[in-house]
Short mmCIF file of all heavy atoms in Angstrom, two decimals:
data_model
loop_
_atom_site.label_atom_id
_atom_site.label_comp_id
_atom_site.label_asym_id
_atom_site.label_seq_id
_atom_site.Cartn_x
_atom_site.Cartn_y
_atom_site.Cartn_z
N ALA A 58 0.84 -1.20 0.00
CA ALA A 58 0.00 0.00 0.00
C ALA A 58 0.88 1.26 0.00
O ALA A 58 0.58 2.23 -0.71
CB ALA A 58 -0.94 0.00 1.21
N LEU A 59 1.96 1.24 0.77
CA LEU A 59 2.86 2.39 0.80
C LEU A 59 3.55 2.59 -0.54
O LEU A 59 3.75 3.72 -0.99
CB LEU A 59 3.91 2.22 1.91
CG LEU A 59 3.42 2.43 3.33
CD1 LEU A 59 4.50 2.05 4.33
CD2 LEU A 59 3.00 3.87 3.54
N LYS A 60 3.93 1.48 -1.18
CA LYS A 60 4.55 1.58 -2.51
C LYS A 60 3.58 2.21 -3.51
O LYS A 60 3.96 3.09 -4.29
CB LYS A 60 4.97 0.20 -3.02
CG LYS A 60 6.22 -0.34 -2.40
CD LYS A 60 6.56 -1.72 -2.98
CE LYS A 60 7.75 -2.34 -2.32
NZ LYS A 60 8.05 -3.68 -2.84
N LYS A 61 2.32 1.75 -3.47
CA LYS A 61 1.32 2.30 -4.38
C LYS A 61 1.10 3.78 -4.10
O LYS A 61 1.00 4.59 -5.03
CB LYS A 61 -0.01 1.54 -4.25
CG LYS A 61 0.02 0.18 -4.88
CD LYS A 61 -1.32 -0.54 -4.72
CE LYS A 61 -1.28 -1.92 -5.33
NZ LYS A 61 -2.53 -2.64 -5.17
N GLU A 62 1.02 4.13 -2.83
CA GLU A 62 0.83 5.54 -2.45
C GLU A 62 2.02 6.37 -2.92
O GLU A 62 1.85 7.47 -3.45
CB GLU A 62 0.67 5.64 -0.93
CG GLU A 62 0.41 7.05 -0.45
CD GLU A 62 0.25 7.14 1.06
OE1 GLU A 62 0.14 6.08 1.74
OE2 GLU A 62 0.26 8.25 1.58
N PHE A 63 3.22 5.84 -2.74
CA PHE A 63 4.42 6.55 -3.18
C PHE A 63 4.40 6.76 -4.69
O PHE A 63 4.67 7.87 -5.17
CB PHE A 63 5.68 5.78 -2.78
CG PHE A 63 6.95 6.37 -3.34
CD1 PHE A 63 7.52 7.48 -2.75
CD2 PHE A 63 7.54 5.81 -4.46
CE1 PHE A 63 8.68 8.03 -3.27
CE2 PHE A 63 8.69 6.35 -4.99
CZ PHE A 63 9.26 7.46 -4.40
N LEU A 64 4.09 5.71 -5.44
CA LEU A 64 4.06 5.82 -6.90
C LEU A 64 2.99 6.80 -7.35
O LEU A 64 3.21 7.58 -8.30
CB LEU A 64 3.85 4.44 -7.53
CG LEU A 64 5.01 3.46 -7.37
CD1 LEU A 64 4.62 2.08 -7.91
CD2 LEU A 64 6.26 3.98 -8.06
N ASN A 65 1.85 6.79 -6.68
CA ASN A 65 0.78 7.71 -7.00
C ASN A 65 1.23 9.15 -6.72
O ASN A 65 1.02 10.05 -7.55
CB ASN A 65 -0.47 7.37 -6.20
CG ASN A 65 -1.68 8.15 -6.66
OD1 ASN A 65 -1.83 8.43 -7.84
ND2 ASN A 65 -2.53 8.50 -5.72
N ASP A 66 1.84 9.37 -5.56
CA ASP A 66 2.32 10.71 -5.22
C ASP A 66 3.40 11.16 -6.18
O ASP A 66 3.45 12.33 -6.58
CB ASP A 66 2.87 10.73 -3.77
CG ASP A 66 1.77 10.63 -2.72
OD1 ASP A 66 0.59 10.75 -3.08
OD2 ASP A 66 2.13 10.40 -1.54
N GLU A 67 4.29 10.23 -6.55
CA GLU A 67 5.35 10.55 -7.51
C GLU A 67 4.75 10.97 -8.86
O GLU A 67 5.18 11.96 -9.46
CB GLU A 67 6.27 9.34 -7.68
CG GLU A 67 7.41 9.57 -8.65
CD GLU A 67 8.24 8.33 -8.87
OE1 GLU A 67 7.67 7.21 -8.92
OE2 GLU A 67 9.46 8.47 -8.98
N LYS A 68 3.75 10.23 -9.30
CA LYS A 68 3.09 10.55 -10.58
C LYS A 68 2.45 11.93 -10.52
O LYS A 68 2.60 12.74 -11.45
CB LYS A 68 2.03 9.48 -10.89
CG LYS A 68 1.29 9.71 -12.18
CD LYS A 68 0.24 8.64 -12.39
CE LYS A 68 -0.60 8.95 -13.61
NZ LYS A 68 -1.70 8.02 -13.76
N LYS A 69 1.74 12.21 -9.42
CA LYS A 69 1.10 13.52 -9.27
C LYS A 69 2.12 14.63 -9.24
O LYS A 69 1.92 15.70 -9.85
CB LYS A 69 0.25 13.56 -7.99
CG LYS A 69 -1.03 12.76 -8.08
CD LYS A 69 -1.80 12.83 -6.77
CE LYS A 69 -3.08 12.01 -6.84
NZ LYS A 69 -3.80 12.04 -5.56
N LEU A 70 3.23 14.42 -8.56
CA LEU A 70 4.28 15.42 -8.48
C LEU A 70 4.88 15.69 -9.85
O LEU A 70 5.07 16.85 -10.23
CB LEU A 70 5.37 14.97 -7.51
CG LEU A 70 6.53 15.93 -7.29
CD1 LEU A 70 6.03 17.27 -6.73
CD2 LEU A 70 7.55 15.31 -6.35
N LYS A 71 5.13 14.64 -10.61
CA LYS A 71 5.66 14.81 -11.97
C LYS A 71 4.66 15.57 -12.83
O LYS A 71 5.05 16.45 -13.61
CB LYS A 71 5.98 13.46 -12.58
CG LYS A 71 7.24 12.84 -12.04
CD LYS A 71 7.51 11.48 -12.68
CE LYS A 71 8.77 10.85 -12.13
NZ LYS A 71 9.05 9.55 -12.73
N GLU A 72 3.38 15.23 -12.71
CA GLU A 72 2.36 15.95 -13.49
C GLU A 72 2.32 17.41 -13.11
O GLU A 72 2.23 18.29 -13.98
CB GLU A 72 0.99 15.30 -13.27
CG GLU A 72 0.85 13.94 -13.91
CD GLU A 72 -0.43 13.20 -13.49
OE1 GLU A 72 -1.17 13.72 -12.62
OE2 GLU A 72 -0.68 12.12 -14.03
N ASN A 73 2.39 17.69 -11.81
CA ASN A 73 2.39 19.09 -11.35
C ASN A 73 3.63 19.83 -11.86
O ASN A 73 3.54 21.01 -12.25
CB ASN A 73 2.32 19.16 -9.83
CG ASN A 73 0.96 18.80 -9.29
OD1 ASN A 73 -0.03 18.83 -10.01
ND2 ASN A 73 0.90 18.43 -8.03
N MET A 74 4.77 19.16 -11.84
CA MET A 74 5.99 19.79 -12.31
C MET A 74 5.91 20.08 -13.81
O MET A 74 6.32 21.16 -14.26
CB MET A 74 7.20 18.90 -12.01
CG MET A 74 7.55 18.86 -10.54
SD MET A 74 8.84 17.66 -10.13
CE MET A 74 10.25 18.35 -10.97
N LEU A 75 5.37 19.15 -14.56
CA LEU A 75 5.21 19.36 -16.01
C LEU A 75 4.24 20.52 -16.29
O LEU A 75 4.48 21.36 -17.15
CB LEU A 75 4.72 18.09 -16.70
CG LEU A 75 5.76 17.00 -16.89
CD1 LEU A 75 5.09 15.73 -17.41
CD2 LEU A 75 6.85 17.46 -17.82
N ARG A 76 3.14 20.55 -15.51
CA ARG A 76 2.17 21.63 -15.68
C ARG A 76 2.81 22.98 -15.34
O ARG A 76 2.64 23.97 -16.05
CB ARG A 76 0.95 21.35 -14.79
CG ARG A 76 -0.28 22.11 -15.17
CD ARG A 76 -1.57 21.63 -14.50
NE ARG A 76 -1.46 20.96 -13.23
CZ ARG A 76 -1.57 19.63 -13.06
NH1 ARG A 76 -1.77 18.84 -14.11
NH2 ARG A 76 -1.48 19.08 -11.86
N TYR A 77 3.58 23.01 -14.26
CA TYR A 77 4.25 24.24 -13.86
C TYR A 77 5.26 24.66 -14.93
O TYR A 77 5.35 25.83 -15.29
CB TYR A 77 4.97 24.03 -12.51
CG TYR A 77 5.76 25.23 -12.06
CD1 TYR A 77 5.12 26.35 -11.53
CD2 TYR A 77 7.14 25.24 -12.17
CE1 TYR A 77 5.84 27.45 -11.14
CE2 TYR A 77 7.88 26.35 -11.77
CZ TYR A 77 7.23 27.45 -11.24
OH TYR A 77 7.94 28.55 -10.85
N HIS A 78 6.00 23.69 -15.46
CA HIS A 78 6.96 23.97 -16.54
C HIS A 78 6.26 24.58 -17.74
O HIS A 78 6.74 25.56 -18.33
CB HIS A 78 7.69 22.68 -16.93
CG HIS A 78 8.55 22.81 -18.13
ND1 HIS A 78 9.76 23.45 -18.12
CD2 HIS A 78 8.36 22.41 -19.40
CE1 HIS A 78 10.28 23.43 -19.34
NE2 HIS A 78 9.44 22.80 -20.13
N GLU A 79 5.13 23.99 -18.12
CA GLU A 79 4.37 24.51 -19.26
C GLU A 79 3.87 25.93 -18.99
O GLU A 79 3.90 26.79 -19.87
CB GLU A 79 3.20 23.59 -19.60
CG GLU A 79 3.63 22.28 -20.24
CD GLU A 79 4.38 22.46 -21.54
OE1 GLU A 79 3.97 23.31 -22.37
OE2 GLU A 79 5.39 21.75 -21.74
N ASP A 80 3.40 26.17 -17.78
CA ASP A 80 2.93 27.51 -17.41
C ASP A 80 4.06 28.53 -17.49
O ASP A 80 3.90 29.62 -18.04
CB ASP A 80 2.34 27.53 -15.99
CG ASP A 80 1.01 26.81 -15.89
OD1 ASP A 80 0.40 26.52 -16.95
OD2 ASP A 80 0.57 26.54 -14.75
N VAL A 81 5.21 28.17 -16.95
CA VAL A 81 6.36 29.08 -16.99
C VAL A 81 6.80 29.31 -18.43
O VAL A 81 7.09 30.45 -18.83
CB VAL A 81 7.52 28.53 -16.13
CG1 VAL A 81 8.81 29.30 -16.39
CG2 VAL A 81 7.16 28.56 -14.65
N LYS A 82 6.81 28.26 -19.23
CA LYS A 82 7.20 28.39 -20.64
C LYS A 82 6.22 29.31 -21.37
O LYS A 82 6.63 30.19 -22.14
CB LYS A 82 7.24 27.02 -21.30
CG LYS A 82 7.75 27.05 -22.73
CD LYS A 82 7.78 25.64 -23.30
CE LYS A 82 8.28 25.57 -24.71
NZ LYS A 82 7.89 26.59 -25.61
N GLN A 83 4.93 29.12 -21.12
CA GLN A 83 3.93 29.95 -21.78
C GLN A 83 4.06 31.41 -21.34
O GLN A 83 4.00 32.32 -22.17
CB GLN A 83 2.53 29.43 -21.46
CG GLN A 83 1.43 30.16 -22.20
CD GLN A 83 0.07 29.58 -21.90
OE1 GLN A 83 -0.09 28.74 -21.02
NE2 GLN A 83 -0.94 30.04 -22.63
N GLN A 84 4.27 31.64 -20.06
CA GLN A 84 4.45 33.01 -19.57
C GLN A 84 5.71 33.63 -20.17
O GLN A 84 5.70 34.81 -20.56
CB GLN A 84 4.56 33.02 -18.03
CG GLN A 84 3.26 32.70 -17.34
CD GLN A 84 3.45 32.52 -15.83
OE1 GLN A 84 4.53 32.70 -15.30
NE2 GLN A 84 2.36 32.17 -15.15
N THR A 85 6.77 32.86 -20.26
CA THR A 85 8.02 33.35 -20.84
C THR A 85 7.82 33.68 -22.31
O THR A 85 8.26 34.74 -22.79
CB THR A 85 9.14 32.30 -20.67
OG1 THR A 85 9.29 32.01 -19.28
CG2 THR A 85 10.46 32.80 -21.22
N ASP A 86 7.17 32.80 -23.04
CA ASP A 86 6.91 33.05 -24.46
C ASP A 86 6.05 34.30 -24.64
O ASP A 86 6.33 35.11 -25.54
CB ASP A 86 6.23 31.83 -25.11
CG ASP A 86 7.16 30.64 -25.25
OD1 ASP A 86 8.38 30.81 -25.07
OD2 ASP A 86 6.65 29.53 -25.52
N SER A 87 5.05 34.45 -23.79
CA SER A 87 4.19 35.64 -23.89
C SER A 87 4.99 36.91 -23.61
O SER A 87 4.84 37.92 -24.30
CB SER A 87 3.03 35.55 -22.89
OG SER A 87 2.18 34.50 -23.21
N ARG A 88 5.82 36.87 -22.60
CA ARG A 88 6.64 38.05 -22.27
C ARG A 88 7.63 38.36 -23.37
O ARG A 88 7.85 39.53 -23.71
CB ARG A 88 7.38 37.78 -20.94
CG ARG A 88 8.15 38.96 -20.45
CD ARG A 88 7.22 40.10 -20.02
NE ARG A 88 8.02 41.21 -19.55
CZ ARG A 88 7.83 42.46 -19.86
NH1 ARG A 88 6.79 42.82 -20.61
NH2 ARG A 88 8.62 43.40 -19.41
N ILE A 89 8.21 37.33 -23.99
CA ILE A 89 9.13 37.54 -25.11
C ILE A 89 8.38 38.21 -26.28
O ILE A 89 8.90 39.15 -26.89
CB ILE A 89 9.78 36.21 -25.55
CG1 ILE A 89 10.79 35.77 -24.50
CG2 ILE A 89 10.45 36.36 -26.92
CD1 ILE A 89 11.35 34.38 -24.71
N GLU A 90 7.17 37.74 -26.55
CA GLU A 90 6.37 38.37 -27.61
C GLU A 90 6.09 39.83 -27.30
O GLU A 90 6.22 40.70 -28.18
CB GLU A 90 5.03 37.64 -27.78
CG GLU A 90 5.09 36.43 -28.67
CD GLU A 90 3.70 35.83 -28.87
OE1 GLU A 90 2.73 36.59 -29.11
OE2 GLU A 90 3.61 34.60 -28.76
N GLU A 91 5.71 40.12 -26.07
CA GLU A 91 5.46 41.50 -25.67
C GLU A 91 6.71 42.35 -25.85
O GLU A 91 6.63 43.47 -26.41
CB GLU A 91 5.04 41.57 -24.20
CG GLU A 91 3.65 41.06 -23.90
CD GLU A 91 3.37 41.05 -22.39
OE1 GLU A 91 3.97 41.87 -21.66
OE2 GLU A 91 2.57 40.22 -21.96
N LEU A 92 7.83 41.85 -25.40
CA LEU A 92 9.09 42.60 -25.52
C LEU A 92 9.48 42.79 -26.99
O LEU A 92 10.00 43.84 -27.37
CB LEU A 92 10.20 41.90 -24.74
CG LEU A 92 10.07 41.94 -23.22
CD1 LEU A 92 11.15 41.06 -22.57
CD2 LEU A 92 10.17 43.36 -22.68
N GLN A 93 9.22 41.76 -27.80
CA GLN A 93 9.53 41.88 -29.24
C GLN A 93 8.66 42.96 -29.88
O GLN A 93 9.15 43.76 -30.68
CB GLN A 93 9.31 40.52 -29.94
CG GLN A 93 9.74 40.50 -31.39
CD GLN A 93 11.23 40.70 -31.53
OE1 GLN A 93 12.02 40.08 -30.82
NE2 GLN A 93 11.64 41.58 -32.43
N LYS A 94 7.39 43.01 -29.52
CA LYS A 94 6.50 44.05 -30.05
C LYS A 94 6.98 45.44 -29.62
O LYS A 94 6.99 46.37 -30.42
CB LYS A 94 5.06 43.82 -29.59
CG LYS A 94 4.40 42.64 -30.27
CD LYS A 94 2.99 42.40 -29.73
CE LYS A 94 2.37 41.18 -30.38
NZ LYS A 94 1.06 40.87 -29.83
N ILE A 95 7.33 45.54 -28.34
CA ILE A 95 7.84 46.83 -27.83
C ILE A 95 9.11 47.20 -28.56
O ILE A 95 9.30 48.37 -28.99
CB ILE A 95 8.08 46.77 -26.31
CG1 ILE A 95 6.73 46.64 -25.58
CG2 ILE A 95 8.87 47.96 -25.82
CD1 ILE A 95 6.85 46.33 -24.10
N HIS A 96 9.99 46.22 -28.75
CA HIS A 96 11.25 46.46 -29.47
C HIS A 96 10.97 46.92 -30.90
O HIS A 96 11.58 47.90 -31.37
CB HIS A 96 12.09 45.18 -29.46
CG HIS A 96 13.34 45.27 -30.25
ND1 HIS A 96 14.44 45.97 -29.83
CD2 HIS A 96 13.67 44.76 -31.46
CE1 HIS A 96 15.39 45.91 -30.74
NE2 HIS A 96 14.95 45.15 -31.74
N ASP A 97 10.08 46.21 -31.58
CA ASP A 97 9.74 46.60 -32.96
C ASP A 97 9.18 48.00 -33.01
O ASP A 97 9.53 48.80 -33.91
CB ASP A 97 8.73 45.60 -33.55
CG ASP A 97 9.34 44.22 -33.79
OD1 ASP A 97 10.58 44.11 -33.74
OD2 ASP A 97 8.57 43.26 -34.00
N LEU A 98 8.32 48.35 -32.07
CA LEU A 98 7.74 49.69 -32.01
C LEU A 98 8.83 50.73 -31.77
O LEU A 98 8.86 51.79 -32.44
CB LEU A 98 6.68 49.75 -30.91
CG LEU A 98 5.96 51.08 -30.73
CD1 LEU A 98 5.15 51.42 -31.98
CD2 LEU A 98 5.08 51.00 -29.52
N LYS A 99 9.74 50.45 -30.87
CA LYS A 99 10.84 51.38 -30.58
C LYS A 99 11.74 51.55 -31.79
O LYS A 99 12.22 52.66 -32.07
CB LYS A 99 11.65 50.91 -29.37
CG LYS A 99 10.89 50.90 -28.06
CD LYS A 99 10.55 52.31 -27.64
CE LYS A 99 9.79 52.29 -26.32
NZ LYS A 99 9.38 53.61 -25.91
N ILE A 100 11.99 50.47 -32.51
CA ILE A 100 12.82 50.55 -33.72
C ILE A 100 12.14 51.46 -34.74
O ILE A 100 12.78 52.33 -35.36
CB ILE A 100 13.06 49.14 -34.32
CG1 ILE A 100 13.97 48.32 -33.42
CG2 ILE A 100 13.62 49.23 -35.73
CD1 ILE A 100 15.41 48.76 -33.40
N LYS A 101 10.83 51.30 -34.92
CA LYS A 101 10.09 52.15 -35.87
C LYS A 101 10.16 53.61 -35.43
O LYS A 101 10.36 54.50 -36.25
CB LYS A 101 8.64 51.69 -35.97
CG LYS A 101 8.48 50.40 -36.73
CD LYS A 101 7.02 49.97 -36.77
CE LYS A 101 6.89 48.63 -37.47
NZ LYS A 101 5.51 48.17 -37.48
N GLN A 102 9.97 53.83 -34.12
CA GLN A 102 10.04 55.20 -33.62
C GLN A 102 11.43 55.78 -33.83
O GLN A 102 11.57 56.95 -34.21
CB GLN A 102 9.69 55.24 -32.12
CG GLN A 102 8.24 55.00 -31.83
CD GLN A 102 7.96 54.91 -30.33
OE1 GLN A 102 8.88 54.86 -29.52
NE2 GLN A 102 6.68 54.87 -29.98
#
């Protein structure tokens, strides 16, 4: 039972870590896009 609980907790932790990684990646990509737009605007100005 402890082994099963451990494996279940491990699986949930990995899923949470992957979800967090995806969130951080998405936030980073969004911020890069924003900065690129600002950069492009500043270049035009």
Side-chain angles (χ1 to χ4, degrees):
L59 286 172
K60 283 180 184 178
K61 285 180 182 179
E62 182 180 349
F63 173 79
L64 292 174
N65 189 35
D66 289 348
E67 180 184 38
K68 179 182 174 185
K69 287 179 181 178
L70 181 60
K71 285 180 180 180
E72 289 170 355
N73 287 340
M74 289 173 65
L75 284 173
R76 198 168 26 257
Y77 177 76
H78 172 75
E79 288 300 318
D80 289 347
V81 168
K82 185 179 180 321
Q83 185 178 9
Q84 290 172 3
T85 303
D86 289 347
S87 295
R88 185 68 180 135
I89 288 171
E90 275 184 45
E91 288 175 27
L92 290 173
Q93 186 65 46
K94 288 177 182 176
I95 292 170
H96 176 75
D97 291 347
L98 181 63
K99 295 293 180 184
I100 291 289
K101 287 179 183 178
Q102 289 174 351

